[in-house]
Amino acid sequence: MSGTTATNTIDRSDKPGHIGIILFVAALLVGAAIALGFLANEWAQPLILGLLALLSVVGVFGLFAFAIGLVQFSGRAARNDLTKAIVDRADDGIVVTESENEVVYANEAYLALAGATGANDLKPVGRLLTGRADVSEAIYRLATAAREHRRLVEEVRLEPALNGRGEVGWYRVRVSPVRREATTATLWSVSDITPERERQENAFQELQHAIDYLDHAPAGFISIDADGEVSYLNATLSGWLDFDLARFGSGGLHLDDVCTSSAAALIQAIRGQPGDVRVEVLDVDLKRRNGAPLPVRLHHQVAFGQDGRAGPSRTLVLNRTAGEAGSDGGSDAEVRFARFFHSTPMAIATVDEAGAILHSNAAFARLIPAGLRPRTIHDLVASGAGLDQALAEVVAGRSGGAPLDLALAGEDGRSAKLYLTPVASTEGGDGERAIVYALETTAERKLRDNMDQAGKMQAVGQLAGGIAHDFNNVLQVIINASEFLLASHRPTDPSFPDIMQIKQNAYRAAALVRQLLAFSRRQTLRPQVLELGEVLSDLSLMLKRVVADKVTLDVRQGRDLWPVKADLGQLEQVIVNLAVNARDAMPNGGKLAVRTRNVTREDCASFGHEALPTDDYVLLEVEDTGTGIPQEHLDKIFEPFFTTKEVGKGTGLGLSMVYGIVKQTGGYVFVDSTIGKGTAFQIFLPRHVPSQEEIAAEAAAKEAPKKLAADHTGAGVILLVEDEDAVRALNARMLISRGYTVHEAASGVEALDLFLQNDGKIDLVVSDVVMPEMDGPTLLGELRKRNPNTKVVFVSGYAEEAFRKNLPEGEEFHFLPKPFTMKQLVETVKAAMG
């Protein structure tokens, strides 16, 4: 057969010569001979000789061409017999197709796979590999790749195998394009990988057997990676802990799920050098699914990579519960001691004479800062002041002295109190010379610092409040006297500007006093329900003028801000003071960001402020990109008169006023600052939830008609009580000038006598709050006994809330804060008399 070679392959790649060409050449020669027969003899012989000569030349040329390989008679294309022999006898079945599955070449291996004896019963790959749906899908993908001239590899499973070679056969089929002259053929390769698959299945079965043996071994086994994720847990340990192994498919387990906090701390505290393999024996408690402890002994092996990171552990778990399968035969006393040792909240470690840590419990592991690998007790602390000497004394056999309160290493500001006790040299077989007991004192120290700071602030506040009270009386006299002088002088009078200057500077001094009162939280606030967003919107233009051109102002409002209840003027003063401080901290320009948003009670913990109670707040943040505040100054910035500015550029009262106003409003203020990066203030104002009474009062106020301006003149008898003679005289003069009859008293006792002398016919009592012998609230109580309808106006430099608590519940009175103007006094008196 023309297509079958001696090696039992099918090769139609070379196109043979056609017989018609031979017939044409023969006919041509016969025709030439006949034509020569008709020619004259004198012409025939030369032509015949010429024809013979031509044929001789062609024949000789053909012989030489065939000899040198220029002409081959077996086909048009030259062959590489070595390459063809390799492909013909390759182990993989190879097929080359053209057009629609027209086979132009098939080697011996493919003929054997196909069970074909010749070209007539040869099947292409697509028809040869038939079987289940997944096989048909694979063949479809291969055929598509062949049409698109792409490479593709698929593996198929056939039942039975090709050519009856077994019940099951696995085959790897490859398809790739082959470029031929003016067309593209497709090369198919079919490899029988059944033996390879059988070896894999055998190995898998052996692995399954090994896992089954491990799963049902009488001891537990667990593997934990460096992040605490449990990568493997055998069935025995899973049964002890009552965990379902199916959980691994939905996220798996973590170390905290299967270990108590003490055990987890011990396991994660194991450190090693790069390349080390550490084996630790730990007596700890694991945690069952219901939270019950399971006493175990861990043989924990972990290898460390070249980067020092711990790899997955190989941990053998022995159950130490009496009577359990796989339980360890250790003594009950040993088990109890191990559990107590690792469960105690006190950190315990043993060290040698150089301070190297030999053994430690879980609490000690938790004491080590994250990322630290202390080899000695000295590495654990930031500064070992006194530790060297104390350790030397203990190693020498002397009992430990006073405990050492030391800061721990790391940047989280933790501290601990260390107690050292000696170990006799005969007891410490592995070099133990001292026992270190440690108690973390971080929370205690922070609480003590907060209490010290609060006490200092309270003391300063009391001092500031006392100064403000006395100073207000002085300012009251200056302001009142200047008003009387201005009333008796015309603006054209030469002394009029000087008097006006006195009055204006008195008001400036009064503003400073208000700042002192704000810090001491003794100022009078007029709280109202506010929308913080509206307050900021109204202040935006002023803030832009305050921060100047070099500073970029960025105001970002939160959506749907909750209402707050605060004094509008004081709250504006807080924002302006913070903006001024931020501007001064950015002399070369920068950015000032003012942000507001709601903070739910669930979000409070995320800020990390221990002093912030859990509640709903509206947060006001003021952040700048200025020079920052040094850490040593952060605890002092809210103190009155503390300032880092140059002389004459600041009073040191701005932030103290911010602190006082926020605290008196019921809010909280925190500051965070980094040198060179800026400062951020966070002010938490409590969310205001209006009561039904407030809602009804607001609705009534909207419907009520506007009142006409009141007449400040009046008539009536007023009892004026003031211990400062100058203040009393000027106030009496003011009231008399408006038409009132005034009786003056220098104390509460004297006022009570005057009240009795007038048979209680007093229309209004205007009294100071702080007085010798009898203060204002006590006087009010005595007057109420004699005339329950007595009307009272209290005058004080302190806040109204500072003395209201000393009055009976529901007591009604009017209040006028010092210092005040003549207009404010007569308006209050007029309103109180009704």
Side-chain angles (χ1 to χ4, degrees):
M1 187 170 75
S2 64
T4 303
T5 68
T7 57
N8 194 26
T9 62
I10 296 176
D11 189 353
R12 297 171 176 167
S13 58
D14 289 330
K15 298 186 182 300
H18 200 277
I19 193 171
I21 298 176
I22 298 175
L23 296 176
F24 174 74
V25 173
L28 183 61
L29 292 175
V30 172
I34 294 172
L36 289 174
F38 291 100
L39 292 175
N41 289 333
E42 64 272 13
W43 291 102
Q45 186 174 1
L47 289 175
I48 293 173
L49 290 175
L51 180 61
L52 290 175
L54 177 62
L55 290 175
S56 298
V57 171
V58 171
V60 172
F61 175 79
L63 289 174
F64 278 102
F66 178 77
I68 65 175
L70 183 62
V71 175
Q72 292 183 353
F73 299 105
S74 59
R76 291 181 300 173
R79 293 184 181 276
N80 186 330
D81 292 336
L82 178 60
T83 304
K84 185 175 186 306
I86 292 174
V87 176
D88 287 344
R89 293 174 174 81
D91 293 332
D92 296 341
I94 297 175
V95 180
V96 178
T97 61
E98 289 183 349
S99 304
E100 293 294 331
N101 289 329
E102 178 186 350
V103 178
V104 297
Y105 176 80
N107 71 347
E108 292 180 2
Y110 185 79
L111 293 176
L113 288 173
T117 58
N120 294 330
D121 56 351
L122 181 64
K123 298 179 182 179
V125 177
R127 291 205 298 265
L128 179 64
L129 303 177
T130 58
R132 299 177 304 180
D134 55 346
V135 177
S136 300
E137 292 176 1
I139 296 302
Y140 174 77
R141 291 192 293 270
L142 289 166
T144 303
R147 286 195 300 269
E148 297 174 355
H149 306 302
R150 293 186 291 107
R151 295 177 180 271
L152 186 64
V153 180
E154 295 279 355
E155 291 186 2
V156 296
R157 182 178 185 272
L158 298 181
E159 295 181 8
L162 294 176
N163 201 17
R165 295 185 177 186
E167 296 181 358
V168 177
W170 282 91
Y171 302 93
R172 182 179 295 119
V173 184
R174 293 185 176 89
V175 62
S176 58
V178 177
R179 303 294 178 183
R180 292 193 69 214
E181 296 181 357
T183 182
T184 300
T186 303
L187 174 64
W188 296 78
S189 172
V190 182
S191 304
D192 187 353
I193 59 172
T194 305
E196 178 184 340
R197 283 288 184 163
E198 289 176 349
R199 288 193 299 270
Q200 291 177 353
E201 289 183 359
N202 291 336
F204 181 75
Q205 290 295 332
E206 292 175 1
L207 180 61
Q208 285 292 100
H209 289 315
I211 293 175
D212 185 64
Y213 297 149
L214 181 60
D215 266 349
H216 298 91
F221 187 85
I222 188 172
S223 180
I224 306 163
D225 64 19
D227 296 325
E229 297 293 335
V230 177
S231 54
Y232 177 75
L233 183 75
N234 75 339
T236 301
L237 183 56
S238 175
W240 291 346
L241 300 178
D242 194 24
F243 277 107
D244 185 2
L245 289 177
R247 282 195 60 181
F248 287 101
S250 59
L253 296 171
H254 191 270
L255 185 61
D256 296 332
D257 297 325
V258 298
C259 291
T260 62
S261 58
S262 299
L266 276 176
I267 292 172
Q268 293 184 319
I270 297 175
R271 300 287 187 267
Q273 296 298 319
D276 284 355
V277 177
R278 293 285 303 276
V279 178
E280 297 285 343
V281 179
L282 307 173
D283 290 304
V284 296
D285 283 352
L286 297 186
K287 184 171 59 178
R288 292 186 173 95
R289 188 164 59 91
N290 59 4
L294 174 69
V296 297
R297 168 167 286 181
L298 303 181
H299 293 264
H300 185 72
Q301 176 181 307
V302 59
F304 294 87
Q306 293 304 317
D307 58 352
R309 182 177 173 83
S313 74
R314 294 169 178 82
T315 307
L316 182 67
V317 184
L318 301 179
N319 194 336
R320 307 200 69 171
T321 304
E324 286 286 341
S327 62
D328 190 11
S331 66
D332 293 340
E334 183 184 358
V335 174
R336 286 195 298 271
F337 172 76
R339 297 179 69 187
F340 294 156
F341 180 66
H342 291 303
S343 300
T344 177
M346 175 171 279
I348 305 174
T350 58
V351 299
D352 62 12
E353 60 183 8
I357 301 171
L358 303 177
H359 303 286
S360 61
N361 68 346
F364 194 87
R366 287 195 295 268
L367 199 64
I368 299 173
L372 185 66
R373 300 176 181 176
R375 291 189 173 274
T376 68
I377 191 67
H378 305 286
D379 299 335
L380 182 63
V381 298
S383 59
L387 181 58
D388 293 338
Q389 181 180 354
L391 182 60
E393 292 179 357
V394 170
V395 169
R398 295 187 290 273
S399 59
L404 304 174
D405 201 350
L406 302 175
L408 298 178
E411 300 180 355
D412 48 3
R414 298 170 64 197
S415 62
K417 186 170 290 186
L418 272 60
Y419 302 80
L420 279 72
T421 60
V423 174
S425 58
T426 56
E427 298 177 10
D430 55 355
E432 295 176 348
R433 299 303 305 275
I435 302 176
V436 180
Y437 302 91
L439 282 175
E440 185 170 359
T441 59
T442 305
E444 176 186 346
R445 181 177 56 80
K446 287 183 178 179
L447 179 60
R448 183 174 64 248
D449 292 344
N450 290 338
M451 292 181 64
D452 292 344
Q453 179 69 10
K456 181 172 64 175
M457 298 290 276
Q458 182 179 4
V460 174
Q462 290 176 346
L463 175 62
I467 294 174
H469 174 264
D470 294 334
F471 201 55
N472 269 332
N473 285 330
V474 177
L475 291 176
Q476 186 67 65
V477 175
I478 297 174
I479 291 173
N480 291 352
S482 62
E483 285 190 338
F484 277 115
L485 289 174
L486 289 173
S488 59
H489 288 73
R490 295 180 180 179
T492 56
D493 195 310
S495 60
F496 189 89
D498 296 331
I499 301 172
M500 182 62 72
Q501 190 78 320
I502 294 173
K503 181 180 178 182
Q504 290 176 349
N505 281 277
Y507 280 129
R508 288 185 59 192
L512 293 176
V513 173
R514 280 196 299 273
Q515 292 179 352
L516 284 173
L517 287 173
F519 171 77
S520 63
R521 285 175 268 169
R522 296 184 179 183
Q523 67 171 340
T524 299
L525 298 181
R526 295 289 181 257
Q528 56 182 304
V529 179
L530 301 172
E531 296 291 342
L532 192 55
E534 296 179 1
V535 175
L536 269 181
S537 297
D538 295 340
L539 275 179
S540 295
L541 184 59
M542 179 188 293
L543 291 178
K544 289 180 181 178
R545 295 174 179 173
V546 166
V547 299
D549 296 334
K550 293 183 179 180
V551 177
T552 302
L553 178 64
D554 180 17
V555 179
R556 297 186 181 183
Q557 298 275 23
R559 298 184 59 183
D560 302 325
L561 292 178
W562 294 322
V564 297
K565 194 169 186 178
D567 186 301
L568 175 59
Q570 299 295 342
L571 184 58
E572 290 178 341
Q573 192 66 37
V574 166
I575 299 173
V576 171
N577 277 357
L578 292 178
V580 170
N581 282 349
R583 177 202 64 191
D584 295 342
M586 298 181 286
N588 299 322
K591 180 180 179 181
L592 173 62
V594 183
R595 299 184 292 267
T596 59
R597 62 185 175 98
N598 294 331
V599 176
T600 63
R601 59 178 60 248
E602 292 79 10
D603 296 335
C604 288
S606 63
F607 290 92
H609 302 312
E610 296 180 0
L612 181 66
T614 300
D615 205 348
D616 291 336
Y617 299 95
V618 178
L619 174 61
L620 170 64
E621 293 180 286
V622 180
E623 183 176 4
D624 64 62
T625 57
T627 56
I629 303 173
Q631 292 295 319
E632 61 270 17
H633 293 164
L634 281 179
D635 293 337
K636 302 177 182 179
I637 59 174
F638 294 120
E639 296 178 5
F641 308 112
F642 176 82
T643 181
T644 57
K645 297 179 182 179
E646 299 177 7
V647 177
K649 292 189 177 181
T651 63
L653 292 174
L655 288 179
S656 65
M657 185 196 71
V658 169
Y659 178 86
I661 292 175
V662 172
K663 286 295 184 181
Q664 194 171 358
T665 307
Y668 299 87
V669 56
F670 302 97
V671 60
D672 183 29
S673 184
T674 303
I675 295 296
K677 293 185 177 180
T679 304
F681 284 87
Q682 292 180 328
I683 297 176
F684 294 84
L685 299 176
R687 175 187 181 182
H688 176 68
V689 180
S691 61
Q692 295 296 329
E693 293 78 5
E694 289 177 325
I695 296 174
E698 182 180 358
K702 291 180 179 179
E703 297 177 359
K706 295 183 179 180
K707 295 182 178 179
L708 299 176
D711 182 10
H712 291 162
T713 61
V717 180
I718 297 176
L719 176 58
L720 180 62
V721 189
E722 172 63 59
D723 60 327
E724 290 284 340
D725 295 338
V727 176
R728 185 177 67 252
L730 287 172
N731 288 345
R733 184 178 172 185
M734 286 184 188
L735 294 173
I736 292 172
S737 66
R738 290 296 185 270
Y740 295 101
T741 301
V742 179
H743 298 287
E744 300 181 38
S747 67
V749 175
E750 185 179 344
L752 189 59
D753 292 339
L754 285 174
F755 189 83
L756 295 176
Q757 292 175 12
N758 287 273
D759 297 327
K761 296 179 180 179
I762 301 294
D763 297 316
L764 179 66
V765 177
V766 179
S767 173
D768 193 8
V769 174
V770 180
M771 297 181 296
E773 297 185 70
M774 181 184 294
D775 60 10
T778 305
L779 173 62
L780 177 60
E782 295 296 328
L783 294 178
R784 286 279 192 261
K785 294 177 183 178
R786 293 158 176 78
N787 185 359
N789 298 321
T790 301
K791 300 177 180 179
V792 175
V793 173
F794 279 124
V795 178
S796 178
Y798 290 127
E800 179 181 335
E801 291 76 9
F803 62 87
R804 180 180 283 276
K805 58 185 178 182
N806 297 325
L807 296 173
E809 185 69 25
E811 190 69 62
E812 294 183 0
F813 61 89
H814 287 72
F815 180 76
L816 182 62
K818 291 182 180 179
F820 49 82
T821 64
M822 182 186 300
K823 180 180 178 182
Q824 291 172 332
L825 175 62
V826 296
E827 284 179 345
T828 304
V829 168
K830 187 76 173 181
M833 297 184 67

